[in-house]
Amino acid sequence: KTHKPAVFLPVSADSIPEAIIKTSVATDCDTIILGASQEGFLSHALQGNIPEAIAKEFEGTIILVKGAPLTVH
């Protein structure tokens, strides 16, 4: 059973991890669910590892969800 409803709201920040941390603090959440990306090396080099950056700052639970691979028919 969920104690609080899911929250969807716009946030302004300098980075994706910062926006997620700001939102978690503002909404007093204890769990963050992130979708795993299938981005390549260049994207990680430019943006950094988003889940890792969030994990360094967030004190609650982080769940990383990986989707099924896409197949082209």
Side-chain angles (χ1 to χ4, degrees):
K1 184 175 181 180
T2 303
H3 297 284
K4 294 182 181 180
V7 176
F8 301 93
L9 57 110
V11 175
S12 176
D14 293 331
S15 68
I16 293 169
E18 181 185 346
I20 293 171
I21 296 296
K22 278 184 172 183
T23 303
S24 70
V25 170
T27 59
D28 192 33
C29 79
D30 59 0
T31 304
I32 295 174
I33 301 172
L34 299 171
S37 69
Q38 296 179 3
E39 299 169 342
F41 174 77
L42 180 59
S43 179
H44 281 280
L46 295 173
Q47 295 181 353
N49 187 323
I50 292 171
E52 183 178 331
I54 294 167
K56 287 180 181 178
E57 300 292 324
F58 186 67
E59 295 182 13
T61 300
I62 298 175
I63 300 171
L64 191 58
V65 179
K66 180 179 177 185
L70 297 176
T71 56
V72 178
H73 297 278

